[in-house]
Amino acid sequence: MNYCEIKSEERIEYNQLIDDFVLGCKTEQKIGMEYERIPISQYDNSQVPYEGEFGICELLREFAKVDNWDYILDDNNIIGLKKLHDTITLEPGCQFELSLEPEKYIVDLKEKIESIDKALEPILEEFEIELLNVGVSPNTTYKNIKLIPKRRYHIMANYLWGILSDVMMRETAGIQIGIDYKSEEDAMRKFRLANMMMPFMTAMYANSSIRGGVDTGYKSFRALAWLNTDNERCGFATKFKKNMTFKDYIDFLLDTPMIFINRNNIPINLNGRLTFRQFMKKGFEGFYPTLEDWKLHSNLYFPEVRLRNYIEIRNHDCVGGGLEYSIPAMYKGIMYSKNAMEEAETILNKFSEQEIKELRYNVAKNAIHSKIKKVPILDICKELSNIAFDSLKNNCENEEQYLEPLIEMLKKGKCAGELS
């Protein structure tokens, strides 16, 4: 088939966009986790590059041999590894990301991370590399960080127009959580609540004040970078109205400019010249939309909370020291309990959409020392963490233990980056 051709039965219709989310409804509710870290050279504390004898590409090659992982390739370049349902992938600046198969229990995520880290340890020592649990590269700025040879990242770098988009792509690292939904109503309720929780969670886990070797004056420079990446595809998706539907989210995606599509593994650059809605109506230079085009477009849309066949929550700086497991514990405790959701909604419904949006800017700078409607958000963070703690304790699975480092931190009136 010529790469300009498309079979008529492959062309996507609007109902298929909704069906793609409906297929995500699940009876069993699990937790997923994506865990990014910054690779730092122990020799000079710089961010480790992709190329070179002791670069990240060679580290992946070596690890694949000793621990039996398969390569993930892009145009014959190693851009990650996979083993069953777990992957190790590279973000644009070589940030090291573990993406784990969702699990019912947090202990299983913890054991998987610890197992992979233990297998990695001797190779990291050999390469003199440390994986840092921070939200932004502390010493190396984007001007000295080359993009890895993944075609998608180079297209994105040329397209994203925010003044800190290069910082976001090359310097930052975060922890993302995936939560399941049982129905459309359940999905959109959780989606709304996760968006309302977002700035409070960003504040608690703020851990990226040091960049380029200096204090930036921001508790989360990573959060600031996302605020200045691309307003058309970052931030919030949909309004905070109740009774939202899959259609509400889809309509936001449909009206977002497209970056590129793939045909026979060849990128076709659209460079924002049309939205997906326009693409569905009239095509583009002989191309017409497929389900794969929609999935790619959805993955190139970067709201703080993203709807897929699960709900992806993306706004936390990378943290360590046990705090990393408090993040899935917060969402499991609140999102998988009817009573806990109602308690959290009662607290957060006091604030308007505009107040929540404005808080995003405040927490990037001040983290838990911010206020909303003259109320210290530290108090609200404590309430939310206590709701999650009590909910998990009621489950009698001992998962409330993962929230103890967070609760102790909040008692001290600190965010993650202020602990050291």
Side-chain angles (χ1 to χ4, degrees):
M1 183 172 71
N2 184 287
Y3 84 97
C4 286
E5 295 175 350
I6 178 172
K7 298 176 182 177
S8 60
E9 63 267 23
E10 292 177 350
R11 187 170 174 175
I12 196 170
E13 301 293 337
Y14 186 90
N15 286 343
Q16 290 176 268
L17 308 185
I18 297 177
D19 291 343
D20 197 41
F21 292 124
V22 172
L23 290 172
C25 298
K26 305 173 185 71
T27 54
E28 188 174 29
Q29 307 286 274
K30 295 182 177 182
I31 289 282
M33 186 169 174
E34 296 182 6
Y35 180 26
E36 301 170 357
R37 287 169 287 182
I38 305 286
I40 299 295
S41 168
Q42 294 177 348
Y43 173 71
D44 61 4
N45 293 321
S46 64
Q47 190 159 318
V48 180
Y50 178 84
E51 297 91 353
E53 183 180 357
F54 296 100
I56 295 298
C57 179
E58 289 304 314
L59 183 144
L60 292 178
R61 198 188 306 274
E62 187 66 21
F63 185 59
K65 288 190 290 187
V66 302
D67 204 49
N68 197 31
W69 291 67
D70 296 321
Y71 291 159
I72 300 172
L73 299 175
D74 185 276
D75 201 22
N76 295 319
N77 294 302
I78 300 172
I79 58 167
L81 305 174
K82 59 184 176 182
K83 181 191 282 189
L84 298 177
H85 300 289
D86 301 320
T87 63
I88 298 172
T89 55
L90 300 180
E91 292 297 295
C94 267
Q95 303 95 317
F96 205 85
E97 178 182 89
L98 299 183
S99 297
L100 306 178
E101 181 180 15
E103 301 284 357
K104 184 175 181 180
Y105 299 109
I106 297 168
V107 66
D108 294 321
L109 294 174
K110 183 174 184 287
E111 288 178 353
K112 179 64 68 66
I113 290 172
E114 290 176 345
S115 174
I116 293 173
D117 281 354
K118 185 175 181 180
L120 268 169
E121 188 175 344
I123 299 172
L124 289 169
E125 289 181 1
E126 177 187 347
F127 279 64
E128 297 185 330
I129 292 173
E130 179 182 1
L131 299 179
L132 287 189
N133 293 295
V134 293
V136 73
S137 182
N139 298 302
T140 311
T141 60
Y142 70 89
K143 292 181 180 179
N144 293 308
I145 301 173
K146 289 180 62 177
L147 290 173
I148 71 168
K150 183 175 180 178
R151 288 170 293 179
R152 166 176 163 170
Y153 291 159
H154 288 263
I155 294 172
M156 287 170 55
N158 289 330
Y159 176 82
L160 297 174
W161 48 266
I163 59 172
L164 294 180
S165 60
D166 285 321
V167 174
M168 179 281 292
M169 291 189 69
R170 305 182 197 215
E171 298 181 33
T172 62
I175 292 178
Q176 300 176 17
I177 300 300
I179 59 173
D180 287 325
Y181 53 83
K182 296 180 179 180
S183 64
E184 180 175 17
E185 180 183 5
D186 184 48
M188 301 316 292
R189 184 182 178 190
K190 288 173 177 173
F191 181 84
R192 178 176 181 270
L193 179 54
N195 272 296
M196 291 192 294
M197 288 176 59
M198 186 278 290
F200 302 95
M201 295 293 288
T202 299
M204 288 187 276
Y205 296 99
N207 189 32
S208 53
S209 61
I210 306 299
R211 173 179 178 261
V214 299
D215 192 324
T216 63
Y218 285 82
K219 298 296 184 183
S220 178
F221 201 87
R222 175 183 179 272
L224 180 70
W226 274 107
L227 288 167
N228 291 276
T229 287
D230 184 336
N231 289 341
E232 292 175 319
R233 63 188 64 246
C234 301
F236 291 109
T238 78
K239 305 296 182 182
F240 286 2
K241 65 179 183 180
K242 296 181 180 179
N243 303 317
M244 289 189 296
T245 65
F246 289 147
K247 184 179 182 298
D248 292 315
Y249 184 86
I250 288 168
D251 284 343
F252 266 75
L253 262 72
L254 285 173
D255 292 326
T256 301
M258 299 178 66
I259 299 179
F260 73 100
I261 58 175
N262 280 316
R263 288 295 181 269
N264 288 355
N265 204 30
I266 300 172
I268 310 298
N269 200 339
L270 277 69
N271 201 34
R273 280 175 280 183
L274 73 168
T275 66
F276 204 92
R277 192 187 301 277
Q278 293 168 328
F279 188 36
M280 289 188 72
K281 285 182 178 178
K282 59 184 181 183
F284 174 77
E285 296 184 358
F287 302 109
Y288 292 92
T290 68
L291 187 58
E292 289 306 310
D293 293 332
W294 172 249
K295 289 180 177 179
L296 174 62
H297 179 63
S298 300
N299 288 339
L300 293 171
Y301 184 53
F302 308 117
E304 302 280 6
V305 183
R306 182 159 64 180
L307 188 64
R308 308 178 77 168
N309 58 2
Y310 56 94
I311 298 168
E312 182 184 72
I313 309 169
R314 316 176 56 256
N315 54 284
H316 323 91
D317 283 0
C318 180
V319 293
L323 272 177
E324 62 268 45
Y325 305 112
S326 70
I327 303 178
M330 279 290 293
Y331 291 109
K332 183 174 183 181
I334 291 176
M335 298 292 185
Y336 292 165
S337 162
K338 179 182 177 182
N339 290 338
M341 284 188 72
E342 289 176 352
E343 290 181 56
E345 287 169 335
T346 298
I347 292 169
L348 298 176
N349 280 338
K350 299 172 186 175
F351 308 115
S352 69
E353 175 190 355
Q354 188 59 36
E355 287 165 341
I356 294 286
K357 285 184 174 181
E358 289 174 0
L359 186 59
R360 293 174 66 218
Y361 290 84
N362 292 333
V363 299
K365 187 169 183 62
N366 300 311
I368 58 167
H369 310 293
S370 307
K371 292 184 178 181
I372 183 169
K373 290 178 72 171
K374 299 182 180 180
V375 177
I377 71 162
L378 174 60
D379 296 342
I380 299 168
C381 292
K382 288 178 178 178
E383 289 184 85
L384 293 172
S385 62
N386 287 333
I387 290 169
F389 184 92
D390 292 343
S391 172
L392 292 176
K393 190 172 183 179
N394 289 338
N395 290 342
C396 300
E397 294 165 352
N398 199 33
E399 292 193 310
E400 70 273 11
Q401 64 174 307
Y402 298 113
L403 286 172
E404 290 172 358
L406 175 67
I407 290 173
E408 286 302 309
M409 180 188 80
L410 294 176
K411 284 180 180 178
K412 297 175 183 176
K414 294 184 176 182
C415 65
E418 295 170 330
L419 289 177
S420 55

